Amino acid sequence: MLLAIDCGNTNTVFSIWDGSRFLTTWRTKTDWQRTADQYFVWLTSLMQSQKVDVKIDEVIVSATVPRVVFNLRVLADRYFNCRPMVVGKPECLLPTPPRVDPGTAVGPDRLVNTAGAFDRHGGNLIVVDFGTATTLDVVDDDGAYVGGVIAPGVNVSLEAFHMAAAALPHVDVTRPERVIGTNTVACMQSGAFWGYIGLVKEITARIKAERGREMTVIGTGGLASLFATGDQLFDRVEDDLTMHGLTVIHQYNKDHT
């Protein structure tokens, strides 16, 4: 049984894959100080409470926080008796290597999203991921990651806004009833919601124009479903795209090593 782990800047997701479907998925705050023993206690408690009785013998990790990887390696070695695949490391093969400037390190999350999106939709894609950063990744006809765009994430922008202007409150990201706010919170929510819709629409339009073709736009990440309510931003919204990409890369490595 495969344990797929996606460690982002804010949250870490653990999913158990049985070869055809995800049996369960859990999410926790990313903490580089959490030890392998703590991860194991947390995981086994959840497995027992949900009556998930499986033997994990394979692990794959995608981590945008390098300091977390060590303890996840220890977790796999000590408790699951296996060496984990780590996306972005030379020994972890990709279905199609990225085509970017020499020496450029592409984030593992972007490589995983590329693999997952290409497996489901073929090439010629734009993958929009709403995470700590808002990323737009371009997937070529053959499944290669060929570049993209990185913008501040929605929550990061709102937090920076609050810190720079102490009189402004913290606000949740939500779709406001109207574009024109009649109080401070409504004004900020409108700016965040419609501002990021404008950002995604403009950048995707410019990517398509630069490449001279129509492209399929895939939305993923925690806020993708929310922003999809505001306009026709995406052709598909897929919450599990990153985890699916991990299973694709894992299977590719099993087939080619």
Side-chain angles (χ1 to χ4, degrees), residues 72-154:
L72 293 176
R73 283 186 183 273
V74 175
L75 171 71
D77 178 63
R78 179 179 298 168
Y79 291 106
F80 305 129
N81 195 31
C82 68
R83 180 179 177 83
M85 294 181 192
V86 180
V87 179
K89 299 297 183 182
E91 62 271 18
C92 183
L93 306 177
L94 299 173
T96 309
R99 291 194 290 272
V100 293
D101 294 342
T104 299
V106 181
D109 53 334
R110 308 179 85 178
L111 298 174
V112 171
N113 283 348
T114 294
F118 181 73
D119 182 69
R120 284 179 170 171
H121 303 286
N124 203 31
L125 309 173
I126 303 171
V127 181
V128 185
D129 189 351
F130 291 90
T132 305
T134 299
T135 59
L136 294 89
D137 298 322
V138 179
V139 184
D140 212 345
D141 294 331
D142 62 350
Y145 170 86
V146 293
V149 176
I150 303 175
V154 185

Side-chain angles (χ1 to χ4, degrees), residues 207-230:
I207 289 173
K208 292 176 183 179
E210 191 170 290
R211 291 179 63 80
R213 67 188 78 172
E214 279 300 310
M215 304 178 73
T216 302
V217 183
I218 311 298
T220 191
L223 293 173
S225 296
L226 171 65
F227 282 99
T229 67

Side-chain angles (χ1 to χ4, degrees), residues 16-37:
I16 297 177
W17 173 254
D18 71 355
S20 61
R21 66 188 180 95
F22 288 110
L23 300 180
T24 188
T25 296
W26 300 297
R27 184 181 301 268
T28 186
K29 181 181 179 181
T30 298
D31 180 2
W32 68 270
Q33 294 181 310
R34 182 173 294 183
T35 66
D37 301 329

